[in-house]
Amino acid sequence: MPDSFPENSVGLVETQLYQFKEPIELSCGRTLRDYHLIVETYGELNEKKSNAVLICHALSGNHHAAGYHSPSDIKAGWWDDYIGPGKPIDTNHFFVVSLNNLGGCHGSTGPRSVNPATSKAWGKDFPPLRVRDWVSSQARLADELGIDQWAAVIGGSLGGMTAMRWAIEHPQRVRHCVVIASAMKLTAQNIAFNEIARRAISSDAQFFDGDFLEKGTIPKNGLALARMIGHITYLSGELMGLRFGRELRSGSFQRGLEAPVEFQVESYLRHQGDRFAESFDANTYLLMTKVLDYFDLAREHNDDPVQAFAHAQCKFLVMSFSSDWRFAPLRSREIVDALIAANRDVVYTEVQSNMGHDAFLLPNERYEQIFRTYMNNVAREMVNGEERD
Amino acid sequence: MLRIDLDILQQWVPLSSRVLDLGCGDGTLLKSLEENRHTEGYGLEIDPEQITACIARGVNVIEKNINEGLENFQNKSFDTVLMTYSMQVLHRPDLVVDEMLRVGKECIVTFPNFGNIRTRIYLMVRGRMPVTKQLSHQWYDTPNIHFCTVKDFEALCGEKGIKILHRETVTGHRPDRQLSRFWPNMFAETAIYHLSK
């Protein structure tokens, strides 16, 4: 029963599939003849169509950001703490659009989709993508929905990169850009972690050089391992210590007992890895990590982020988290410095949290307060008719 | 900040200029400059509640500890760098003033004058660290770690070759007003300086 959901939840949500019949030319030079995007929306689009907010997901995210898919669903969407009536992204004010990116594996065209040229799944042959391809595919979605200008484009991590690209590529179509726990480009250490994850997948015997779908199998071990590595980097050492410590799930160190010892943290990671391996596509994981690695905000702007941001016209909210070492606060400060040098409006906050990179997904009083206060202003502008032309 | 301080320093901020406010508090000054002088700019602040207040006002606030320096700002990238009532909480006010003059073409600094006669009498008569309406903390919990007098500050400017473009003094005590003009170190409660290098 929908009324059994929490009061501040968007409740039961339905997915919608948008078909795009026009070919889309990708950054790699190849063209997708047609594609589809799986989308969820929350809240109502106003008459002027000025209250739309785009949510850009991170590496392993999807379109299901808020609400529930069925009355018996116990797990809400991945950003349900931040999207809903009365929440920072308040669906009483905003029409929220959330989609699975092109190349994803949750219903949008990606490696698991059928390649019209071969009538078989794309698999490893799916074209490599860049963040700008996501932006151009999302721009067509905006056209389809009749949205000329987003009130805000919002994203964390890889989603933050997407939001920044939006601001630069379509300055007229973005009023506010919210960049959370992100960076203008990855560091060597960050790329290194992604490469270990890719190697874990590609060295799984079940990977079959990317043709595992055809062989009717899944490189579960590789995917699980990739996720385990990633997961460690998304948490902080402090949090792992607090949450798991050296607690044992089974076995003991007592003399004479031979039951094997298993730490809580081992069991947790194994569970995370296995669950991920069951739902995520290995080729999508390879594709998404490469999109992350290749992203460089300023590459086409003489490697000068100030020049890049000079193209933007929107206002920015940038947020980072103190214990995030995968997308450290310093990376966010670099974004802010470039925005200031480019004379753009920007608010920057560094939120205290011991949750690591994952903090952007988790409840945090100060983070919520900042986010809510900023978004309230965005909503107030709409009411006062201060939207830019 | 008092209304009168605000009125005094606003006149030194060029119209439609770019400003940076160190320790911008709840953003009142930046908002007022934006409305009255059509400025654009940013405020730096570390207090979470003040930061939220800035966001609510629509002020560009950057969470940053000024004690860490301003190395992320380019030379002369602002017309005016302001610091009102924050100098006394810094670890090294002298270095921050250097940085302000590097980043800004001009600077405006305001601080409580510890040479004020009431402070002197308080210490002399009571023999204890002055606690006044303006400086309401006890010695052990005060964030104000670097008090100075008008004379101290001008000595620092002299050593560093900083030009004092304007100086104004403010006091809440009516009889002191005339006096503070002639004898600022004794009668000013707040000193307001307009500086350049």
Side-chain angles (χ1 to χ4, degrees):
Chain A
M1 278 184 301
D3 59 2
S4 68
F5 297 126
E7 213 170 273
N8 61 352
S9 161
V10 296
L12 208 56
V13 294
E14 280 178 18
T15 58
Q16 301 145 52
L17 203 64
Y18 285 84
Q19 299 280 352
F20 298 89
K21 297 288 183 199
E22 287 280 299
I24 183 167
E25 202 187 319
L26 304 169
S27 316
C28 63
R30 289 165 65 184
T31 301
L32 272 182
R33 215 194 289 171
D34 52 43
Y35 66 98
H36 54 264
L37 296 174
I38 190 161
V39 178
E40 283 183 10
T41 66
Y42 324 109
E44 300 281 331
L45 187 60
N46 64 13
E47 213 171 301
K48 288 163 72 185
K49 303 193 174 182
S50 64
N51 68 333
V53 167
L54 176 67
I55 306 296
C56 306
H57 70 67
L59 183 66
S60 56
N62 55 49
H63 55 289
H64 184 39
Y68 302 84
H69 278 162
S70 75
S72 58
D73 208 348
I74 33 170
K75 205 166 174 284
W78 58 268
W79 223 13
D80 196 75
D81 286 318
Y82 291 87
I83 304 170
K87 290 177 183 174
I89 304 169
D90 192 340
T91 47
N92 291 327
H93 302 303
F94 296 112
F95 174 67
V96 181
V97 178
S98 174
L99 73 152
N100 183 212
N101 284 341
L102 201 59
C105 55
H106 292 92
S108 291
T109 300
R112 273 183 190 167
S113 314
V114 173
N115 177 356
T118 62
S119 302
K120 285 193 286 189
W122 279 97
K124 66 171 180 196
D125 296 325
F126 194 81
L129 297 173
R130 296 285 178 84
V131 170
R132 58 179 70 243
D133 297 321
W134 289 341
V135 170
S136 49
S137 63
Q138 290 162 357
R140 287 205 196 166
L141 175 65
D143 295 342
E144 191 73 23
L145 294 165
I147 297 160
D148 287 336
Q149 190 182 62
W150 298 102
V153 178
I154 302 175
S157 193
L158 177 57
M161 293 170 163
T162 316
M164 287 189 282
R165 185 59 81 204
W166 254 103
I168 292 170
E169 294 288 311
H170 298 285
Q172 303 291 336
R173 302 192 76 171
V174 184
R175 282 204 301 280
H176 291 268
C177 180
V178 181
V179 183
I180 310 165
S182 193
M184 295 190 286
K185 56 185 171 190
L186 288 195
T187 59
Q189 186 192 43
N190 228 326
I191 295 170
F193 278 120
N194 284 342
E195 177 53 19
I196 296 170
R198 285 191 291 265
R199 186 67 175 261
I201 290 170
S202 63
S203 56
D204 186 324
Q206 301 300 306
F207 182 62
F208 290 105
D209 196 25
D211 290 331
F212 54 90
L213 286 177
E214 256 179 83
K215 304 271 183 188
T217 180
I218 292 173
K220 274 194 183 171
N221 275 322
L223 264 168
L225 188 51
R227 183 57 173 179
M228 287 162 83
I229 296 157
H231 205 80
I232 296 168
T233 70
Y234 303 147
L235 302 177
S236 71
E238 187 195 341
L239 180 71
M240 288 186 95
L242 283 172
R243 197 180 281 174
F244 308 108
R246 295 178 51 83
E247 294 295 310
L248 298 185
R249 182 173 170 83
S250 59
S252 115
F253 289 109
Q254 224 177 319
R255 193 187 263 266
L257 288 178
E258 288 186 17
V261 160
E262 189 187 27
F263 286 99
Q264 283 288 4
V265 68
E266 292 179 275
S267 149
Y268 171 78
L269 273 182
R270 211 170 290 145
H271 172 73
Q272 290 292 327
D274 291 346
R275 214 181 56 182
F276 186 75
E278 278 163 23
S279 62
F280 214 83
D281 180 74
N283 283 314
T284 288
Y285 200 82
L286 299 184
L287 181 146
M288 294 273 182
T289 54
K290 284 180 187 161
V291 175
L292 244 183
D293 290 0
Y294 298 167
F295 181 79
D296 181 347
L297 184 90
R299 191 189 289 115
E300 274 90 23
H301 302 272
N302 295 322
D303 292 318
D304 180 3
V306 183
Q307 267 186 41
F309 281 129
H311 291 274
Q313 289 178 18
C314 60
K315 298 182 178 193
F316 289 81
L317 169 63
V318 181
M319 290 185 272
S320 69
F321 299 92
S322 55
S323 60
D324 184 351
W325 55 281
R326 190 85 200 249
F327 287 79
L330 185 57
R331 302 281 86 75
S332 286
R333 273 182 248 143
E334 288 165 355
I335 297 171
V336 173
D337 288 346
L339 284 166
I340 291 174
N343 213 17
R344 299 299 94 169
D345 283 313
V346 54
V347 165
Y348 171 64
T349 61
E350 195 172 309
V351 176
Q352 286 298 315
S353 163
N354 64 4
M355 300 283 177
H357 186 52
D358 269 354
F360 85 90
L361 300 164
L362 301 168
N364 175 309
E365 202 182 323
R366 178 157 188 243
Y367 172 36
E368 281 175 43
Q369 190 185 40
I370 294 160
F371 208 167
R372 174 177 289 118
T373 308
Y374 189 89
M375 292 306 291
N376 280 346
N377 282 356
V378 178
R380 201 175 320 128
E381 278 174 15
M382 293 174 338
V383 176
N384 297 345
E386 290 168 20
E387 304 103 323
R388 229 179 37 226
D389 290 323
Chain B
M1 189 171 27
L2 297 168
R3 187 69 233 174
I4 185 158
D5 306 15
L6 206 76
D7 289 342
I8 291 171
L9 65 84
Q10 285 206 131
Q11 58 180 340
W12 301 332
V13 176
L15 283 170
S16 307
S17 61
R18 197 166 189 251
V19 298
L20 180 67
D21 186 5
L22 311 189
C24 66
D26 63 7
T28 306
L29 174 60
L30 277 171
K31 197 73 195 169
S32 162
L33 287 172
E34 187 189 312
E35 281 161 9
N36 300 316
R37 309 297 289 173
H38 312 294
T39 57
E40 47 186 359
Y42 309 88
L44 310 184
E45 183 53 59
I46 46 169
D47 184 300
E49 278 175 33
Q50 303 275 40
I51 289 170
T52 307
C54 286
I55 299 171
R57 278 205 164 84
V59 163
N60 287 327
V61 62
I62 310 294
E63 181 162 350
K64 183 173 168 68
N65 184 349
I66 305 160
N67 284 316
E68 290 164 5
L70 304 174
E71 74 292 331
N72 53 317
F73 295 102
Q74 294 157 354
N75 291 350
K76 305 297 173 204
S77 52
F78 290 90
D79 296 303
T80 309
V81 180
L82 305 112
M83 183 163 64
T84 57
Y85 261 84
S86 295
M87 194 166 67
Q88 71 279 3
V89 307
L90 300 174
H91 293 161
R92 286 294 299 271
D94 57 332
L95 301 182
V96 172
V97 170
D98 283 341
E99 278 288 86
M100 289 174 75
L101 284 158
R102 177 186 66 78
V103 170
K105 292 170 191 152
E106 295 176 355
C107 294
I108 294 171
V109 175
T110 77
F111 58 87
N113 171 33
F114 212 68
N116 182 276
I117 187 159
R118 280 152 218 280
T119 320
R120 295 188 197 200
I121 291 172
Y122 192 109
L123 182 60
M124 196 165 76
V125 173
R126 301 198 197 188
R128 297 192 59 183
M129 288 302 282
V131 178
T132 63
K133 222 187 277 175
Q134 252 189 322
L135 311 168
S136 55
H137 291 275
Q138 295 292 335
W139 63 274
Y140 46 81
D141 65 2
T142 180
N144 305 319
I145 53 174
H146 280 125
F147 279 126
C148 69
T149 67
V150 164
K151 270 192 178 171
D152 284 331
F153 186 73
E154 292 189 6
L156 178 70
C157 291
E159 273 170 41
K160 290 181 177 293
I162 296 169
K163 275 183 255 164
I164 297 172
L165 304 174
H166 300 96
R167 180 190 69 199
E168 290 282 348
T169 55
V170 176
T171 169
H173 304 280
R174 200 168 272 281
D176 295 0
R177 273 184 204 158
Q178 282 299 328
L179 290 165
S180 77
R181 220 165 270 171
F182 302 103
W183 202 352
N185 199 40
M186 189 62 87
F187 291 102
E189 241 174 10
T190 298
I192 310 176
Y193 283 89
H194 186 200
L195 310 168
S196 77
K197 191 112 194 187

